[in-house]
Amino acid sequence: MLARIGRAVRSHTRFALLLASLGADVVLDGIRPTTWRRTVRGEFRRALRQAVGGGLSTTLVTAALIGLVMVSQALYWLGQAGQEGLIGPILVTVLVREVAPVLVGLIVMGRSGVVIVSEIGGLQIGGQVHALAAQGLDPFLLLLPRAAALAIACFTLGVVFVVAALLTGFIAGSLAGAVHIPIGSFLERVLLAMHAGDFAVFPAKMIVIGLLVALTACLTGLTASAQDDAARLLSRGFVRGVVAILLASIALSLGA
């Protein structure tokens, strides 16, 4: 009876426990200078270029849409209500704290996470991962540079997203005649509305979400079996990544 109970619990918590273990290993090994050998640094640069370059255009387009739909409308209706003093707090609460981390995480997952699932899943199914281990090479080196690259890429794209959304919303509001303040005053209101904790929570959210995207993608690929086809593997990795993004965003928002 105990074996059956334990088997059921392990089957439902195995992925989460592996994810936590890999996350701890990435953080501990990532701060060791000896880990970053030439080949690891080369893979890190490649993954970083792919993540930032592949997600930049999508981030700018999405930020422009959010600026038109959210920022400009907030400027218009708050101006109509005579509550322009609430522009900064509302945009910080909604855009910076909640919308930007989730949307950028989804973009990174769709543009880079599925690529990692496909690459590592193909290596696992083809037996190359076991071949690397048999040759004395640590398969963990497949994960570390990708995790670090996606964490930095997610933070970078998050900053780009917020700036582009604010500028697009301000320009759209100005053209619609809803904004009667200069852009410097608008950006100053947003910055003054940010508390000290916001300057820590926003980077923490972006970095943690980037790490989770990479970890879930790599772990999904490493746990692939010969029966998994590409469609099933990619859909599984994407769903796991989305759940990890939402849980991380909620947890850090509640913790702040």
Side-chain angles (χ1 to χ4, degrees):
M1 182 182 67
L2 292 177
R4 286 196 297 270
I5 295 174
R7 191 179 303 112
V9 172
R10 289 201 310 272
S11 65
H12 287 87
T13 60
R14 178 173 178 269
F15 187 85
L17 294 175
L18 286 174
L19 191 64
S21 176
L22 285 175
D25 286 341
V26 166
V27 173
L28 293 176
D29 286 349
I31 60 178
R32 296 174 182 170
T34 55
T35 304
W36 296 93
R37 298 189 289 272
R38 182 175 59 85
T39 54
V40 178
R41 294 196 305 269
E43 181 61 25
F44 167 76
R45 288 191 292 267
R46 186 197 69 81
L48 184 61
R49 285 195 301 269
Q50 191 277 329
V52 175
L56 182 59
S57 59
T58 307
T59 299
L60 291 175
V61 172
T62 307
L65 294 175
I66 293 297
L68 292 173
V69 173
M70 179 186 296
V71 179
S72 64
Q73 292 298 307
L75 291 172
Y76 176 79
W77 290 110
L78 289 175
Q80 292 294 315
Q83 299 292 328
E84 293 184 348
L86 295 177
I87 290 175
I90 288 178
L91 290 179
V92 169
T93 301
V94 178
L95 178 65
V96 178
R97 295 180 187 172
E98 305 300 335
V99 174
V102 172
L103 289 183
V104 172
L106 293 176
I107 291 171
V108 172
M109 184 67 216
R111 299 290 295 181
S112 301
V114 294
V115 175
I116 294 175
V117 173
S118 178
E119 289 177 349
I120 297 184
L123 293 175
Q124 174 68 20
I125 295 173
Q128 286 91 336
V129 173
H130 294 293
L132 290 175
Q135 296 172 8
L137 300 176
D138 189 0
F140 180 74
L141 297 179
L142 294 172
L143 189 152
L144 177 62
R146 290 172 170 84
L150 261 64
I152 295 175
C154 198
F155 173 73
T156 303
L157 294 176
V159 174
V160 172
F161 181 94
V162 171
V163 174
L166 291 175
L167 293 178
T168 303
F170 180 85
I171 293 172
S174 299
L175 295 176
V179 181
H180 307 288
I181 57 175
I183 188 171
S185 299
F186 168 67
L187 296 177
E188 183 181 6
R189 292 185 182 187
V190 175
L191 287 176
L192 290 177
M194 295 184 67
H195 302 292
D198 294 322
F199 290 98
V201 172
F202 176 74
K205 269 193 175 185
M206 303 311 304
I207 292 173
V208 169
I209 286 175
L211 279 174
L212 287 176
V213 167
L215 291 174
T216 53
C218 290
L219 189 54
T220 301
L222 289 173
T223 55
S225 62
Q227 291 75 27
D228 291 325
D229 56 13
R232 181 184 302 176
L233 195 61
L234 292 178
S235 63
R236 184 189 304 158
F238 186 80
V239 170
R240 287 174 173 174
V242 170
V243 172
I245 291 168
L246 295 177
L247 289 178
S249 180
I250 293 171
L252 290 174
S253 294
L254 294 176

